[in-house]
Amino acid sequence: MAHSPWQKRGRGQARDGMAARPPQRALDRHRLRHLLDAVVAVSADMDTRTVLHRIVEAATDLVAARYGALGVLSETGEVIDLITVGVDDPHLCAAMGLPLGHGLLRTMVDDREPLQVADVAAHPRSVGFPPGHPVMRTPLGVPLMVRGTVYGDLYLADKLDGTPFDDDDVGLLTALASAAGVSLENARLYEQLKRAAEHFQRRMLPALPDLSPLKAAARYEPASELLRLGGDWYDAMALPDGATCVVVGDVTGHDVEAAPLMGQIRNMLRAIALDRDGPPGLIMSRLDRTLTMLTDPPTATLVLGRIERGGGEGGEYTFGWSNAGHLPPLLVGADGSTRYLAPARHGIPVGIDASVSRFSHEHPFPPDCTLLLFTDGLVERRGEDIDTGLGDLAEQAARLAAAPLEELCDTLISRSRQVFDDDVALLALRTPSDGPAR
């Protein structure tokens, strides 16, 4: 009886029949899945350096290569960065320096085509390796290119099983390079946008005026992620009656759009404070009424403070403030003592309900003491209670009680962190040692 084309074939037919193909199809599916996983891996981050590392790691893993590298090219074609996998000694990498951009690697970039070499030593364009470089025999490379622009070159060497690279390896690496080039371009565009947004935010923040005899310093640190950047601000100004007005605030809804809203609130508050005298709670209430008259009022947390000196030459300073849902100011004594100014009554963020009462508070601001106003990016960390961050800030500020304000601000901002989950605004003020002007 004739076999149906869908019937299972016998052992003798498995070699050249349909049943011989599933193992190859299974292998192809496995490699395709591996490729898709690699594409997802290199597309999962916008930080350029992280993207570069993921590209090289994914490429070496995808084709089981012993060594991998990615050279980043400048607009003029010079190698400006090199990411490696398989060369574990960082001192060796530093000693070898960046590739000079000639020889086989230059051929790949100039031709804009994949490069596959069976024996690098025998190739006419090989220029050898620098001293200490691992011996590599069979390179495979592809340019990272998007819309005619070459961003770098991705190259591997020596498969782990000792076999030469084949056409399937070339195809997989070329496919990964196409996705990686787009990811690298997106990462660069992201970095450009982040720098532009940060520049815009900084331009909206004021240069501190001379507040003598008070000393003042301020810092702004952008969030590491673009979507978290924008909205924090500080401000300080001398009022017509001789007092000093200080503000630190944080617009609700951190993103790039928060920056112009921050400017709107800051300018309104400046105008109200300069035009009308009064305690901070009254100024805050006027800001509330102004904001809630808008069709779509912005909201923000903030601390508005007023620093003034009592009558007579020996009069001491007083800090008066109103808090609209913000973290409390920190007062650091000359002896290193610390106290958060957090009375029981505080208000909700501005821009929500103008009928809610605002409160004014006062506290002595003794000679040679430091007042810190800050936004939550300074003390909030993922996976950590904010009270822990507030405690750490007070402890570090106590150790810096006698330090110059600029040094104090720099140290508090850095706090051994390289990544900021949120942007940070910090304003520091210090009274003169003897109270009155010197």
Side-chain angles (χ1 to χ4, degrees):
M1 183 176 66
H3 287 284
S4 162
W6 305 107
Q7 281 184 298
K8 183 177 181 181
R9 295 176 181 268
R11 288 173 178 260
Q13 294 171 301
R15 294 178 182 175
D16 5 90
M18 293 294 292
R21 297 185 185 178
Q24 182 60 45
R25 287 203 301 269
L27 177 61
D28 290 344
R29 285 198 299 269
H30 173 74
R31 300 192 82 179
L32 178 59
R33 181 52 187 263
H34 210 166
L35 172 62
L36 293 175
D37 289 343
V39 170
V40 171
V42 302
S43 304
D45 205 293
M46 280 297 180
D47 176 70
T48 303
R49 190 77 182 180
T50 303
V51 169
L52 296 177
H53 275 286
R54 285 182 173 171
I55 290 171
V56 185
E57 290 171 351
T60 53
D61 186 48
L62 186 62
V63 299
R66 188 176 304 278
Y67 303 106
L70 190 155
V72 182
L73 303 181
S74 67
E75 294 182 1
T76 60
E78 297 176 353
V79 180
I80 57 175
D81 198 3
L82 182 69
I83 312 298
T84 63
V85 168
V87 182
D88 299 325
D89 185 354
H91 300 291
L92 176 59
C93 293
M96 289 188 298
L98 296 175
L100 298 179
H102 57 262
L104 284 176
L105 299 182
R106 190 72 230 180
T107 300
M108 178 174 55
V109 173
D110 290 343
D111 295 345
R112 302 190 175 196
E113 295 289 343
L115 175 71
Q116 185 179 4
V117 178
D119 184 0
V120 66
H123 197 280
R125 292 205 60 177
S126 175
V127 294
F129 298 103
H133 194 287
V135 176
M136 298 179 183
R137 189 175 65 85
T138 58
L140 169 64
V142 292
L144 296 179
M145 187 167 59
V146 180
R147 289 183 288 274
T149 300
V150 180
Y151 287 94
D153 45 26
L154 173 63
Y155 47 99
L156 310 175
D158 303 350
K159 296 188 74 169
L160 292 172
D161 61 6
T163 61
F165 293 109
D166 56 26
D167 290 343
D168 287 341
D169 295 325
V170 176
L172 286 170
L173 194 61
T174 301
L176 176 61
S178 296
V182 173
S183 294
L184 183 55
E185 182 185 51
N186 288 341
R188 287 187 173 182
L189 292 174
Y190 179 86
E191 292 294 332
Q192 292 172 8
L193 180 58
K194 185 173 181 292
R195 286 194 298 271
E198 179 187 338
H199 178 70
F200 175 62
Q201 172 83 354
R202 290 187 184 278
R203 288 292 298 269
M204 297 186 72
L205 295 173
L208 291 181
D210 183 4
L211 301 175
S212 298
L214 294 172
K215 295 179 181 178
R219 293 291 185 275
Y220 172 77
E221 186 68 31
S224 300
E225 297 178 9
L226 177 62
L227 294 179
R228 301 291 299 172
L229 191 152
D232 288 22
W233 86 96
Y234 59 81
D235 202 357
M237 56 185 169
L239 297 175
D241 63 0
T244 297
C245 179
V246 294
V247 184
V248 160
D250 184 355
V251 172
T252 304
H254 294 279
D255 54 35
V256 177
E257 294 180 358
L261 296 178
M262 173 271 289
Q264 188 177 26
I265 295 176
R266 172 178 166 261
N267 290 335
M268 286 181 180
L269 188 54
R270 266 184 161 254
I272 294 170
L274 287 170
D275 182 60
R276 301 290 183 89
D277 292 334
L282 180 60
I283 303 298
M284 194 87 81
S285 292
R286 289 170 179 158
L287 174 64
D288 247 337
R289 289 196 296 270
T290 304
L291 290 175
T292 51
M293 286 190 297
L294 301 177
T295 304
D296 187 15
T299 59
T301 69
L302 64 95
V303 170
L304 170 67
R306 177 185 171 91
I307 302 173
E308 53 188 330
R309 192 175 66 218
E313 287 297 319
E316 292 192 350
Y317 286 89
T318 299
F319 175 61
W321 78 99
S322 184
N323 191 326
H326 201 79
L327 292 173
L330 175 62
L331 185 64
V332 184
D335 59 355
S337 60
T338 59
R339 175 174 180 172
Y340 281 105
L341 304 180
R345 297 193 303 174
H346 62 273
I348 63 173
V350 295
I352 296 178
D353 186 351
S355 66
V356 175
S357 299
R358 295 293 176 185
F359 306 103
S360 295
H361 314 281
E362 284 193 356
H363 194 278
F365 194 0
D368 211 22
C369 285
T370 303
L371 181 69
L372 299 177
L373 291 85
F374 53 92
T375 56
D376 53 10
L378 188 64
V379 293
E380 279 189 338
R381 300 169 191 161
R382 290 177 186 173
E384 183 178 278
D385 188 87
I386 194 170
D387 287 338
T388 301
L390 289 169
D392 290 345
L393 175 63
E395 183 178 330
Q396 190 162 23
R399 293 195 295 268
L400 296 165
L405 281 191
E406 299 292 340
E407 178 185 336
L408 180 145
C409 288
D410 287 339
T411 305
L412 293 183
I413 282 287
S414 62
R415 299 183 71 203
S416 302
R417 288 190 293 164
Q418 299 299 319
V419 176
F420 288 85
D421 298 331
D422 200 350
D423 50 346
V424 178
L426 171 64
L427 178 62
L429 302 115
R430 181 173 292 166
T431 49
S433 299
D434 55 356
R438 286 181 286 179

